[in-house]
Amino acid sequence: MKKFLVVNKPENWNLSLENMEVISARDYLTNPNFFQLKKARIFNLCKDYSYQSQGYYVSLLAEARGHLAIPTVMNLVDLREPKLVKIVSDEFDDLIQKSLKGIKSAEFTLSIYFGQNVAQKYRELSAMFHRHFQIPFLRVKFSYSNKWNIKSIKALSEVEIPDDHKSSMREFAIQYFAKKRYDTPKNETSEYDLAILVQDHDPAPPSNPKALKKFAELAEKMNFYVEFVSPKDLSRLSAFDALFIRQSTEVNNDAYAFARKAQQEDIAIVDYPDAILKCCNKVFMAEALENAGIPTPKTIIVHKDNRNKIIEKTGLPLVLKSPDSTFSFGVKKASTAEEYEKLVGEMLKKSELVIAQEYTPSDFDWRIGILDDKPIFACRYYMAKGHWQIYNWNAKKKDDNEGDADVISIEDVPKKILDVALKSAKLMGKGLYGIDVKEVNGKPLVIEINDNPNIDFGIEDRYYGDKIYIEILTALKNRLDKKTE
């Protein structure tokens, strides 16, 4: 397997590394040769891992391309989540107290380079933090008040490494890159019962109140204890055996933190945190669908170097999508070159990459609900009145902000639509997905893969009724049963 060290400035990395090529982040993101490469291990040493930065996209697109990324996007998001950092602090408290016992000052900073510290006495503590977060350069600050507590954890850039640490860092790098196996954190095990996560005033809730009531009633008949929890209940999640997310999901909201904690504690989940990460980013989705040979409207990843060449490839009008757009939020149509320039300029200020897509009008979109590789419902969502999307958030009348829907049996869905939906869901692994497909000139085109799709009473359940709710609850039961086998 080829190994690549991805950095911002390759000229600063003159290491003698066997079978390792040093490349720039920009090259990895934009050079088509890396998209076509089938097997690779990517070591991401970018100076910035913040959301939608170059470093973030290096790890995200590595996963879309089937490359093995260190750190993963999940590692990067974990680092920014204070609630998850606290979990680490509590879990490894004994090791922290033992390692820092002899320090006399009230504060201490631990710098970790590829899982090691320049002082051997902090070797075990450094290795623990590296195993959990998988970040190459890490700085952990501690403060003392009755006992040692983690004050902050952050990724370091190369320029922040002190000069007197750099020779040790480079030696640690050579040792690290020579390894055959790279450790990953183990998940912890916890307890039982069903938590359904909902949020008050959710702008686009995935289930209406009647559907939530139906889930609870049927779950209780299946011997679940059911409790609706809100984002403020994260600290209580360990008391449950299973988690069903029914609030809108984004990488930066509470749903991800719940899913990630549930995964760490081996709680049964619908849906998994990696599904949230992947489905909530249109850049990942575009590369993953193309890499799998799944038909989509003509789609181009836009960055500052190619923004002037997009219209000639997609034509006008075209659709621009923010990487984390959901429920038609952050999705814009540009009908003229001037409109395109204005919109793409605004989007690139917020993200290194955005999506441009050929405009493919249709009267409706298919939505195929798929649970653990099995179709469970089929809908046709019609465009909102006088609008080109299913949702029109700017509609003057509330009744006009969403199009109609009809529901049919899975057996009546055209085979080509069903086949492409199933193939798309397999890219994301086990979970609950809604695959949006347009049929244009007799050809199915996948528009989107949605994690956490709508299950609304009176819409998605209109044909199969209670069966849809029971299928989802049974999937949670199956996850639990596998734990006890």
Side-chain angles (χ1 to χ4, degrees):
M1 181 181 291
K2 288 190 174 182
K3 295 193 288 187
F4 296 91
L5 183 61
V6 181
V7 297
N8 293 97
K9 295 183 177 180
E11 62 271 20
N12 293 344
W13 285 88
N14 295 319
L15 296 179
S16 299
L17 300 173
E18 188 176 351
N19 300 321
M20 175 81 75
E21 184 178 344
V22 182
I23 61 172
S24 72
R26 173 66 64 185
D27 198 25
Y28 183 73
L29 292 175
T30 62
N31 188 328
N33 291 333
F34 293 109
F35 169 75
Q36 295 161 6
L37 189 64
K38 293 304 178 189
K39 288 187 177 181
R41 186 180 288 280
I42 305 300
F43 299 96
N44 179 2
L45 264 66
C46 289
K47 67 180 181 181
D48 181 10
Y49 296 129
S50 62
Y51 188 54
Q52 297 189 358
S53 65
Q54 276 192 347
Y56 181 88
Y57 278 118
V58 165
S59 288
L60 185 75
L61 292 191
E63 294 183 38
R65 295 165 180 175
H67 300 167
L68 299 176
I70 296 179
T72 65
V73 175
M74 198 173 290
N75 297 143
L76 303 183
V77 175
D78 285 356
L79 195 62
R80 299 199 310 272
E81 179 49 69
K83 296 165 188 172
L84 297 177
V85 170
K86 186 177 186 307
I87 291 169
V88 177
S89 178
D90 294 343
E91 185 177 340
F92 296 102
D93 185 64
D94 289 347
L95 177 59
I96 292 169
Q97 305 311 318
K98 182 184 78 172
S99 301
L100 306 184
K101 187 176 180 180
I103 297 172
K104 304 300 182 184
S105 63
E107 293 192 342
F108 176 71
T109 298
L110 182 70
S111 297
I112 303 166
Y113 313 118
F114 302 102
Q116 298 193 60
N117 180 264
V118 294
Q120 284 297 304
K121 62 182 176 180
Y122 301 122
R123 183 172 184 172
E124 186 180 0
L125 187 62
S126 299
M128 179 276 291
F129 278 106
H130 181 74
R131 278 196 305 273
H132 195 92
F133 290 104
Q134 293 284 293
I135 305 293
F137 302 148
L138 202 60
R139 179 167 289 164
V140 186
K141 291 189 176 182
F142 302 88
S143 60
Y144 188 85
S145 176
N146 298 323
K147 69 171 188 173
W148 286 103
N149 298 291
I150 298 174
K151 189 175 178 181
S152 65
I153 304 178
K154 64 165 286 192
L156 289 180
S157 67
E158 183 194 358
V159 296
E160 295 177 279
I161 298 173
D163 288 341
D164 58 344
H165 285 193
K166 286 184 176 176
S167 61
S168 294
M169 179 274 287
R170 289 174 179 268
E171 181 59 36
F172 297 155
I174 291 168
Q175 295 172 18
Y176 179 79
F177 293 130
K179 292 199 302 182
K180 301 295 184 186
R181 183 180 180 277
Y182 299 88
D183 296 327
T184 54
K186 287 173 63 178
N187 295 331
E188 298 300 316
T189 308
S190 191
E191 309 176 23
Y192 190 56
D193 291 338
L194 174 61
I196 301 179
L197 176 63
V198 296
Q199 182 182 31
D200 289 339
H201 312 298
D202 195 331
S207 285
N208 57 22
K210 286 186 177 180
L212 294 174
K213 183 180 178 183
K214 180 70 73 172
F215 273 118
E217 288 174 351
L218 292 171
E220 287 169 359
K221 290 179 181 178
M222 296 170 67
N223 296 319
F224 278 105
Y225 165 77
V226 180
E227 186 174 335
F228 289 99
V229 298
S230 69
K232 63 180 174 56
D233 294 315
L234 180 63
S235 61
R236 297 179 51 234
L237 186 59
S238 298
F240 295 89
D241 180 62
L243 171 67
F244 181 35
I245 296 173
R246 287 286 87 189
Q247 77 160 72
S248 55
T249 52
E250 297 173 22
V251 175
N252 288 327
N253 76 4
D254 298 285
Y256 177 81
F258 268 77
R260 185 64 173 125
K261 184 179 181 185
Q263 184 185 55
Q264 288 177 326
E265 301 199 7
D266 204 17
I267 293 170
I269 325 167
V270 170
D271 260 329
Y272 296 103
D274 55 339
I276 297 173
L277 284 174
K278 293 173 181 178
C279 290
C280 285
N281 194 287
K282 303 294 187 291
V283 173
F284 175 93
M285 197 179 302
E287 285 229 354
L289 290 168
E290 184 178 350
N291 201 30
I294 293 172
T296 65
K298 188 175 292 182
T299 302
I300 301 171
I301 296 173
V302 186
H303 47 83
K304 65 180 182 180
D305 295 333
N306 73 346
R307 59 183 286 182
N308 296 327
K309 302 174 183 177
I310 301 303
I311 293 176
E312 64 189 60
K313 296 178 181 178
T314 63
L316 287 170
L318 62 80
V319 177
L320 289 169
K321 298 181 179 182
S322 297
D324 52 3
S325 55
T326 57
F327 289 98
S328 299
F329 294 114
V331 179
K332 306 291 184 183
K333 184 172 73 170
S335 298
T336 66
E338 292 75 18
E339 198 173 4
Y340 165 77
E341 281 299 326
K342 180 177 181 293
L343 290 172
V344 80
E346 291 170 354
M347 289 180 170
L348 287 173
K349 286 179 183 177
K350 298 177 182 178
S351 175
E352 279 278 332
L353 307 174
V354 299
I355 291 294
Q357 200 166 64
E358 174 189 17
Y359 178 53
T360 50
S362 63
D363 292 333
F364 64 85
D365 287 355
W366 286 98
R367 165 67 64 85
I368 309 299
I370 294 176
L371 174 64
D372 294 347
D373 299 326
K374 176 186 174 185
I376 61 171
F377 69 84
C379 290
R380 287 181 292 218
Y381 295 154
Y382 291 84
M383 302 303 128
K385 186 177 180 180
H387 192 61
W388 61 282
Q389 295 168 289
I390 293 165
Y391 295 96
N392 181 5
W393 300 109
N394 296 319
K396 293 180 180 179
K397 295 180 181 179
K398 187 176 180 181
D399 291 343
D400 292 341
N401 71 357
E402 186 175 347
D404 293 331
D406 60 27
V407 185
I408 64 174
S409 73
I410 291 164
E411 290 75 14
D412 291 334
V413 177
K415 185 177 185 299
K416 59 189 175 184
I417 300 292
L418 195 59
D419 287 349
V420 79
L422 287 165
K423 187 176 180 182
S424 299
K426 283 184 179 294
L427 295 177
M428 301 297 169
K430 301 292 185 183
L432 175 62
Y433 302 103
I435 314 300
D436 292 344
V437 186
K438 286 184 184 289
E439 188 173 358
V440 179
N441 297 323
K443 181 181 178 183
L445 299 175
V446 174
I447 303 301
E448 206 154 57
I449 305 172
N450 300 277
D451 72 298
N452 200 31
N454 277 58
I455 308 292
D456 281 318
F457 182 88
I459 302 179
E460 286 79 11
D461 67 353
R462 200 181 301 161
Y463 188 91
Y464 288 105
D466 289 357
K467 183 180 178 184
I468 290 180
Y469 303 92
I470 293 169
E471 292 261 19
I472 295 168
L473 295 167
T474 300
L476 284 165
K477 277 259 187 182
N478 290 340
R479 286 155 169 66
L480 294 171
D481 291 343
K482 285 182 180 178
K483 287 169 56 179
T484 58
E485 287 178 356

